[in-house]
Amino acid sequence: MIFKRDEEADDAAEAPTAPAPERREGTKMTDSEVTIVGAAAKLEGTVVSAGSLRIDGQVKGQIQADGDVELSPQSQVEADIRAQNVSVAGRFKGNVVVKGKAHLARGGRIEGNITSKTLVVEEGGVFHGQSLMDGGTAQPAAQSGQPAAQQQGAAGQGDKAAQVKVP
């Protein structure tokens, strides 16, 4: 480590406590920023994240994220979520609106409605509510004037991704 002032030469042994890792983490954070709500945290109100959000604690209110939202197994959330994608491994009560995929992991529980392009429910996940899926394949087929049999085939492709096994 190089110092410009001579009086700091004695402090050289103490200086290496926070050198370069700042730059590495700073670069990492700009690629994909993740906000974490810790396991001991209890939040009420509106949570807004410019990036992705991971919740390990308790949240009640509204959640809005420009990125993805992940609810860990110990999380307890009662809110409405708007995000790119969502993954639920804990307990969730409310409505989910995502632009991409909604994922319910093993041991996760959702009580509410889900609006997404894709819904994945793992074995052992519990979902009570309604799902509205818009895969983007059925509407263009109907607008293009294709025969009804072809429209059903296009819609059937989206249904395969939505198959749910109930234990």
Side-chain angles (χ1 to χ4, degrees), residues 36-148:
I36 300 172
V37 176
K42 293 181 182 181
L43 300 177
E44 253 186 74
T46 301
V47 178
V48 179
S49 176
S52 294
L53 179 65
R54 188 180 89 201
I55 299 175
D56 297 334
Q58 297 178 16
V59 175
K60 187 173 185 178
Q62 303 285 323
I63 299 171
Q64 298 174 4
D66 291 341
D68 300 342
V69 174
E70 178 185 347
L71 306 183
S72 67
Q74 66 268 24
S75 66
Q76 294 182 12
V77 177
E78 188 174 330
D80 289 332
I81 296 177
R82 288 190 171 272
Q84 290 293 321
N85 301 295
V86 69
S87 178
V88 178
R91 295 187 179 270
F92 174 78
K93 186 174 184 179
N95 297 312
V96 174
V97 178
V98 292
K99 295 178 181 177
K101 179 169 75 171
H103 175 251
L104 177 56
R106 169 175 285 211
R109 180 179 195 92
I110 295 177
E111 293 181 34
N113 300 323
I114 299 172
T115 303
S116 65
K117 284 190 179 177
T118 305
L119 173 62
V120 176
V121 179
E122 289 185 15
E123 186 175 353
V126 178
F127 174 45
H128 292 283
Q130 294 182 353
S131 172
L132 176 62
M133 294 175 57
D134 178 15
T137 56
Q139 286 182 332
Q143 292 174 355
S144 67
Q146 292 180 351

